[in-house]
Amino acid sequence: MPQASPELSSSVKLKYVKLGYQYLVNHILTLLLIPIMVGVLIEVLRLGPDEILNLWNSLHFDLVQILCSSFLIIFATTVYFMSKPRSIYLVDYACYKPPVMLRVPFATFMEHARLVLSSQPKSVEFQTRILERSGLGEETCLPLTVHYIPPRPTMEAARDEAQLVIFSAMDSLLNKTGLKPKDIDILIVNCSIFSPTPSLSAMVINKYKMRSNIKSFNLSGMGCSAGLISIDLARDLLQVHPNSNAVVVSTEIITPNCYQGNQRAMLVPNCLFRMGGAAILLTNRRWEHRRAKYRLVHVVRTHKGADDKAYRCVMEEEDPEGKVGISLSKDLMVIAGEALKTNITTTGPLVLPASEQLLFLLTLIGRKIFKQNWKPYIPDFKLAFEHFCIHAGGRAVIDELQQNLQLSAEHVEASRMALHRFGNTSSSSLWYELSYIEAKGRMKKGDRIWQIAFGSGFKCNSAIWKCNRSIEPPRDGPWLDCIHRYPVHIPEVVKL
Amino acid sequence: MVSDGGEGSVYGFRLSSVVPATVTGEDKVHGLSNMDLAMKLHYLKGVYFFRREAVEGLTISDLKEPMFEWLKLYYPTSGRIRRSESGRPMIRCNDGGVRIVEAQCDKSVDEWMAMEDHDIHNCLTYDQVLGPDLAFSPLVFIQLTWFKCGAMSVGLSWAHVLGDVVSASDFINMWGSIMADHAPPRSLGTNPTSPKPQFHQKLSQKPFSLKMTHPIGDHWLLPRANHPRMGTRYFHVTLDQLKRLLSAHSGPHAQSQPFQLLSAIMWKTLAKIQGESEPKIVTVCRNSYGERGDDEILKNAMVVSRVEADIGVAEADVSDLAKLIAEKTVCENGMIEETVGGDDGKSDFIVYGANLTFVNLEEVKLFGLEIQGHKPVWASYSIGGVGDEGAFLVLPAPDGDGGRTVTAILPENQLAWLRRELKDEWGIA
């Protein structure tokens, strides 16, 4: 059609201009180097071999000069290698797959809610609405205690759930990697709500009979972004301790979390949070790079706790009846967006190609200094990463990030499908998403992955990984029996 | 509630749900036939007693775990009643699940079975009613009660609208089979087809076996105000007693069958008790495997017939009554289906207890439920929501016994008379 084609051709032209610009700026050094080398080559050819030999003989090198130069070079190289941060490798990880016995279909969830909250029909209706729009599927799982009407969460039940989830994930990890428990030098367990004494890390050490000089840490209260905080802690520890293995266990124990009151802001977590856990093996041992799946490139942590609204936006508190629950404020999405912007401001320069950074800088200069009325330039992160793992906090979070970062449906597919199959598993959701990408066979050597997690506080943490070797779809893992069914279309509103 | 040793003994009720292992899928519907809808006010209650050896070492998780695969096969049992646009009830297979009840009893199983009042067995099955919240009422409850001695009872509460006693019994037996690791069939036909077309022609004749009740809306409970209170009693007829009765009261030409003979005895005894208002017409209900296809595992496939006595029942010879029951049945299935289908399932009916009803359950595999290789020491079925005329169920007795268990569901005052008469006249206790 004649009307469409000028627009089409102009947009195609623009695309090529953009591509050309990116290629030019990102490879500027290569492009500058080539003419210089050509120039040198021409000069050498022009001079001829005799002239070159004369030039070489005229340079007087005596022994001291040679020795000093070599010494300097060796010294510089040694200092460089010694002060370079150790490479941290992710050897492998294992996600917990809950058994069918713990499955909660929508109909069962709603019926139990009706019976438990029989005097609060409005609260039941509210939960129905949340569940319909949540993006969860019918195979998400809740712990055994929550299947009872009414649930009676005891400390023992919470410990049972913790043992079930953590030990399953650990067993799976030890099996996959061939790691012996006695070889673990650093153990970090993060679980936000359930924090018993002795700690969950002590529970793991007891079960697996780990060494007495193990360095163990237990992070609690840090929300859904605690998984990446643990990775960051492991990385820092692995810089200090040479030739070490670190195991990070990320989970959230649901049993103490089931709120039985009627405050709406506190009922939302009931609808979204589900059982899950992951165990990750990190190492700084050089020879592991042969079999390691990923290399940790950056971890960027952003904390908005200084702002009162951000601090209060996810709050564990008692409702007027004295029942404890986690209250989510209405400003959650706005605060998450701001936290993300702050995180990107630090992450961007670390990962974006020069072309994007230049454009961002130019628009920034234009807007601030020359007061031009330009829109703020949103860098194209798709140029920096092949895969995105966005914490499956809920459908709204994924939608918000997809819009903010201008990602396509395929980029957020891992997050949406993990939310559908496993629900919001808190700090371990990033690992289910990564597992999805691997199960689909999309992970190739050299691919860069961006994991973004949000958590109470309010925090936004990013981890950037580089794929170390091409990964075949694994023969085990949480997606094994259902990956062929995915991706599924998730309707806006599910009819219950 | 006076604790006479029965009702107060069962305590510690904990409810939970089990669901099918895999997602049944959206919009899967199990249609209800006219015969299903005729039975909607009735509830089957089955009790199975297992000795301590049968359940030794089993935790509640061991008992629940096989249920998920089991419910995958029988997914309509996990559904819920919904109404179509025309108001006709159907089952939406939404994986709502089956309700499991865990309870404790402070008596030993021997003490329990020795108790005089047989109504206490009702404490071992959950008091199930569909409605008033019809769309959220489970169709099946399973109550697991642990006795002081370590024995356990399994109480099945089953909405009759799902299927007949054969369906319910096969359902619970399959659980035992899966628990024992016998590979279950990959799928069972559960005829998720739409119900048969409704007849709109003029009814030829009204069925005697079907009685219309007042409209009960979404609360499928037979109204009991101004009605006598019903009681239940289980009578055990040993093989010897049965042989004796059969030889003593067979007709001149043919040997009577146990069901017909026992029904005749009950009929005559009740006629004696009721005197002037003796029941002249009775309903005979036969449950067998012959009436259903291989792929129809959840079905109300009983043959409901009426029998009219043209002789005085109280004075009649038992063998004559038995012959009447055997030969002079008039099948009313067609009429029942026409009546129910006539207004598309909107009216409410009862079948059991509309007249004095005799239910032949001899073919039911009552002792097919096995736990850790052990059969139940005793099992029986009763029915909730039976009309005033009462009902008798004739079931097989425990394995190896060869006799029969007769469940009598009658108004309480008649039940006391019946007990005395049967003991004095017939030696049945």
Side-chain angles (χ1 to χ4, degrees):
Chain A
M1 251 146 268
Q3 270 159 331
S5 71
E7 286 166 18
L8 187 68
S9 71
S10 74
S11 79
V12 166
K13 278 193 199 124
L14 195 67
K15 189 174 131 190
Y16 280 118
V17 165
K18 227 181 151 183
L19 269 174
Y21 160 74
Q22 282 169 359
Y23 198 74
L24 178 72
V25 175
N26 291 337
H27 297 97
I28 192 99
L29 284 174
T30 330
L31 291 173
L32 283 177
L33 204 61
I34 288 174
I36 292 173
M37 283 185 63
V38 167
V40 166
L41 193 67
I42 291 171
E43 189 62 33
V44 161
L45 287 174
R46 196 170 62 83
L47 283 177
D50 295 327
E51 291 261 2
I52 294 169
L53 264 169
N54 284 340
L55 204 66
W56 179 255
N57 288 333
S58 69
L59 291 169
H60 297 290
F61 286 131
D62 67 32
L63 198 62
V64 178
Q65 273 181 325
I66 296 172
L67 269 176
C68 282
S69 318
S70 339
F71 179 67
L72 201 67
I73 292 171
I74 293 170
F75 181 68
T77 321
T78 316
V79 166
Y80 169 72
F81 275 113
M82 292 294 284
S83 63
K84 191 167 83 99
R86 292 181 220 270
S87 289
I88 309 295
Y89 295 105
L90 190 159
V91 177
D92 209 341
Y93 63 98
C95 295
Y96 169 65
K97 176 141 189 260
V100 154
M101 256 189 80
L102 301 176
R103 183 182 151 223
V104 180
F106 290 150
T108 323
F109 183 89
M110 287 327 306
E111 208 167 276
H112 283 221
R114 286 177 84 92
L115 290 167
V116 171
L117 288 174
S118 51
S119 54
Q120 316 279 349
K122 279 205 161 53
S123 299
V124 176
E125 210 186 289
F126 174 72
Q127 283 194 289
T128 313
R129 280 207 310 273
I130 298 282
L131 199 62
E132 281 173 352
R133 290 161 179 75
S134 61
L136 265 68
E138 300 241 34
E139 290 180 281
T140 61
C141 295
L142 283 171
L144 207 57
T145 337
V146 183
H147 286 255
Y148 280 89
I149 307 164
R152 274 196 227 139
T154 57
M155 191 161 193
E156 199 190 322
R159 271 219 171 89
D160 286 341
E161 186 196 336
Q163 287 178 351
L164 177 66
V165 174
I166 295 177
F167 295 166
S168 302
M170 280 291 295
D171 286 342
S172 185
L173 181 70
L174 296 176
N175 217 2
K176 272 177 157 184
T177 54
L179 180 70
K180 303 262 180 313
K182 296 254 184 268
D183 276 341
I184 300 174
D185 305 289
I186 300 162
L187 174 68
I188 305 170
V189 177
N190 73 267
C191 172
S192 195
I193 298 286
F194 182 51
S195 180
T197 298
S199 64
L200 294 175
S201 61
M203 186 178 84
V204 175
I205 291 169
N206 168 260
K207 161 85 174 169
Y208 292 96
K209 312 287 177 236
M210 295 182 180
R211 296 197 322 256
S212 54
N213 62 348
I214 190 169
K215 296 191 175 29
S216 71
F217 300 85
N218 196 89
L219 301 176
S220 72
M222 299 190 94
C224 301
S225 60
L228 294 185
I229 297 176
S230 305
I231 299 284
D232 187 39
L233 178 61
R235 180 188 65 162
D236 289 344
L237 287 165
L238 287 171
Q239 298 301 337
V240 175
H241 301 286
N243 287 331
S244 298
N245 280 329
V247 169
V248 170
V249 178
S250 289
T251 184
E252 190 55 65
I253 302 304
I254 308 287
T255 304
N257 248 348
C258 58
Y259 174 64
Q260 293 178 61
N262 59 3
Q263 296 296 307
R264 288 193 183 188
M266 295 181 172
L267 284 170
V268 178
N270 279 4
C271 301
L272 299 178
F273 280 86
R274 297 289 184 266
M275 270 178 103
I280 304 109
L281 174 60
L282 297 170
T283 185
N284 58 12
R285 294 179 179 175
R286 275 190 215 286
W287 62 88
E288 292 282 24
H289 93 274
R290 251 182 284 274
R291 67 165 180 156
K293 278 186 172 173
Y294 303 97
R295 184 170 63 81
L296 182 60
V297 182
H298 296 292
V299 177
V300 178
R301 290 169 59 174
T302 312
H303 206 303
K304 301 295 273 176
D307 174 45
D308 282 343
K309 259 173 72 174
Y311 170 65
R312 284 183 208 293
C313 109
V314 178
M315 197 78 160
E316 184 189 8
E317 57 193 3
E318 282 178 3
D319 70 3
E321 291 172 10
K323 299 194 177 124
V324 178
I326 300 169
S327 174
L328 303 177
S329 103
K330 289 194 174 42
D331 308 319
L332 187 62
M333 284 295 99
V334 173
I335 292 168
E338 281 172 25
L340 178 71
K341 277 208 194 71
T342 315
N343 191 287
I344 288 176
T345 316
T346 317
T347 317
L350 291 173
V351 298
L352 286 169
S355 55
E356 292 299 306
Q357 299 203 36
L358 193 61
L359 271 176
F360 183 71
L361 188 67
L362 289 174
T363 21
L364 193 69
I365 292 172
R367 285 178 60 229
K368 299 284 185 205
I369 298 176
F370 297 113
K371 306 280 185 219
Q372 296 287 334
N373 208 8
W374 291 337
K375 267 193 340 199
Y377 180 69
I378 301 169
D380 189 1
F381 280 91
K382 301 194 282 287
L383 293 172
F385 299 105
E386 277 71 41
H387 305 289
F388 296 79
C389 293
I390 301 165
H391 166 55
R395 198 197 205 129
V397 173
I398 303 175
D399 289 342
E400 175 83 14
L401 257 73
Q402 185 180 7
Q403 201 188 17
N404 277 351
L405 298 174
Q406 293 172 343
L407 300 175
S408 72
E410 204 189 309
H411 287 123
V412 295
E413 184 184 306
S415 308
R416 288 200 198 282
M417 297 307 127
L419 181 65
H420 183 267
R421 173 61 184 82
F422 295 99
N424 178 351
T425 56
S426 186
S427 42
S428 51
S429 67
L430 299 170
W431 302 105
Y432 286 100
E433 293 167 27
L434 197 60
S435 193
Y436 177 87
I437 300 172
E438 288 180 9
K440 279 287 189 195
R442 293 177 190 164
M443 196 61 82
K444 303 275 176 287
K445 177 169 176 168
D447 279 357
R448 295 153 299 174
I449 304 109
W450 190 12
Q451 287 183 323
I452 313 170
F454 296 97
S456 60
F458 194 80
K459 301 188 274 291
C460 175
N461 296 330
S462 300
I464 294 143
W465 303 86
K466 192 156 181 180
C467 182
N468 200 36
R469 58 176 174 85
S470 265
I471 297 171
E472 283 164 15
R475 270 163 296 173
D476 53 17
W479 294 96
L480 188 65
D481 61 348
C482 58
I483 193 70
H484 58 278
R485 280 189 267 129
Y486 283 91
V488 291
H489 168 68
I490 304 171
E492 272 297 316
V493 178
V494 172
K495 193 174 61 134
L496 283 184
Chain B
M1 213 178 353
V2 175
S3 174
D4 58 353
E7 285 150 3
S9 300
V10 185
Y11 62 95
F13 292 93
R14 294 280 286 138
L15 273 73
S16 57
S17 298
V18 295
V19 300
T22 52
V23 183
T24 299
E26 285 194 21
D27 298 327
K28 259 218 169 119
V29 163
H30 176 85
L32 293 172
S33 68
N34 290 327
M35 203 63 201
D36 293 331
L37 290 177
M39 310 304 286
K40 70 187 195 226
L41 293 182
H42 298 304
Y43 298 91
L44 292 175
K45 297 195 183 301
V47 186
Y48 300 76
F49 287 92
F50 289 91
R51 285 240 172 260
R52 184 208 165 109
E53 304 81 59
V55 293
E56 193 125 41
L58 287 180
T59 62
I60 182 68
S61 287
D62 295 326
L63 294 165
K64 275 189 180 176
E65 208 185 308
M67 291 187 182
F68 292 81
E69 280 303 319
W70 174 48
L71 292 180
K72 197 165 102 174
L73 296 169
Y74 282 89
Y75 60 85
T77 57
S78 298
R80 297 291 182 265
I81 303 279
R82 293 286 144 88
R83 288 191 190 266
S84 65
E85 276 116 31
S86 61
R88 189 185 174 95
M90 53 164 185
I91 296 177
R92 177 137 182 251
C93 303
N94 63 0
D95 291 351
V98 157
R99 199 76 86 228
I100 306 294
V101 185
E102 296 161 49
Q104 311 288 327
C105 180
D106 61 9
K107 292 192 157 35
S108 74
V109 74
D110 293 315
E111 285 172 8
W112 183 272
M113 299 227 276
M115 306 230 338
E116 271 296 300
D117 177 14
H118 285 191
D119 278 323
I120 50 156
H121 289 308
N122 289 338
C123 298
L124 299 177
T125 53
Y126 198 78
D127 197 6
Q128 175 197 25
V129 168
L130 291 176
D133 220 356
L134 189 64
F136 297 94
S137 302
L139 297 167
V140 178
F141 282 77
I142 297 175
Q143 180 169 329
L144 304 170
T145 314
W146 277 270
F147 291 87
K148 197 174 67 177
C149 56
M152 188 183 84
S153 72
V154 177
L156 173 68
S157 301
W158 171 280
H160 214 305
V161 77
L162 258 182
D164 53 18
V165 184
V166 170
S167 301
S169 166
D170 282 351
F171 169 72
I172 199 83
N173 292 352
M174 178 64 80
W175 171 47
S177 181
I178 293 181
M179 240 194 307
D181 276 337
H182 297 145
R186 285 209 54 195
S187 74
L188 300 168
T190 48
N191 62 329
T193 51
S194 44
K196 294 198 190 111
Q198 288 81 52
F199 304 105
H200 291 294
Q201 66 213 47
K202 193 169 179 304
L203 293 167
S204 40
Q205 194 186 351
K206 278 194 74 177
F208 283 95
S209 318
L210 192 71
K211 185 168 121 182
M212 198 185 280
T213 64
H214 295 301
I216 38 91
D218 274 354
H219 193 179
W220 292 3
L221 178 68
L222 189 63
R224 289 247 64 102
N226 304 326
H227 289 266
R229 203 174 130 168
M230 305 297 276
T232 312
R233 182 118 202 125
Y234 301 94
F235 295 98
H236 184 206
V237 182
T238 61
L239 184 62
D240 290 331
Q241 281 176 319
L242 198 60
K243 282 191 184 150
R244 206 172 14 91
L245 288 167
L246 283 169
S247 55
H249 298 283
S250 285
H253 304 290
Q255 172 100 35
S256 291
Q257 296 299 312
F259 168 70
Q260 283 80 358
L261 188 66
L262 290 169
S263 304
I265 292 171
M266 301 297 164
W267 193 0
K268 185 182 159 91
T269 317
L270 265 186
K272 263 178 79 175
I273 296 167
Q274 288 176 8
E276 283 295 316
S277 50
E278 64 174 28
K280 283 279 204 212
I281 306 181
V282 297
T283 304
V284 172
C285 202
R286 195 180 79 234
N287 280 249
S288 71
Y289 283 90
E291 309 299 325
R292 67 193 70 225
D294 278 335
D295 62 343
E296 293 177 310
I297 55 164
L298 288 173
K299 192 176 178 191
N300 273 300
M302 310 92 47
V303 177
V304 181
S305 325
R306 74 166 184 277
V307 174
E308 284 184 71
D310 43 7
I311 47 174
V313 181
E315 299 84 32
D317 200 21
V318 161
S319 50
D320 291 333
L321 286 175
K323 194 156 164 243
L324 209 62
I325 292 172
E327 292 166 11
K328 295 281 194 296
T329 55
V330 178
C331 176
E332 294 202 321
N333 275 32
M335 286 188 264
I336 292 174
E337 288 181 10
E338 268 184 43
T339 316
V340 174
D343 63 353
D344 204 19
K346 288 199 187 58
S347 302
D348 306 308
F349 303 91
I350 52 164
V351 172
Y352 299 127
N355 305 318
L356 177 61
T357 310
F358 297 99
V359 188
N360 185 349
L361 297 174
E362 290 179 315
E363 279 189 46
V364 169
K365 297 186 182 122
L366 187 60
F367 294 88
L369 173 62
E370 288 186 19
I371 297 182
Q372 295 197 121
H374 290 86
K375 288 194 197 288
V377 296
W378 188 82
S380 186
Y381 272 82
S382 173
I383 302 179
V386 173
D388 295 345
E389 299 301 317
F392 287 90
L393 316 182
V394 178
L395 292 143
D399 241 18
D401 184 294
R404 295 289 183 274
T405 301
V406 179
T407 309
I409 306 154
L410 289 172
E412 278 181 336
N413 53 345
Q414 291 187 24
L415 206 54
W417 279 100
L418 182 76
R419 266 184 80 180
R420 251 201 308 278
E421 279 291 324
L422 285 177
K423 190 145 185 258
D424 297 338
E425 277 282 325
W426 304 97
I428 297 173

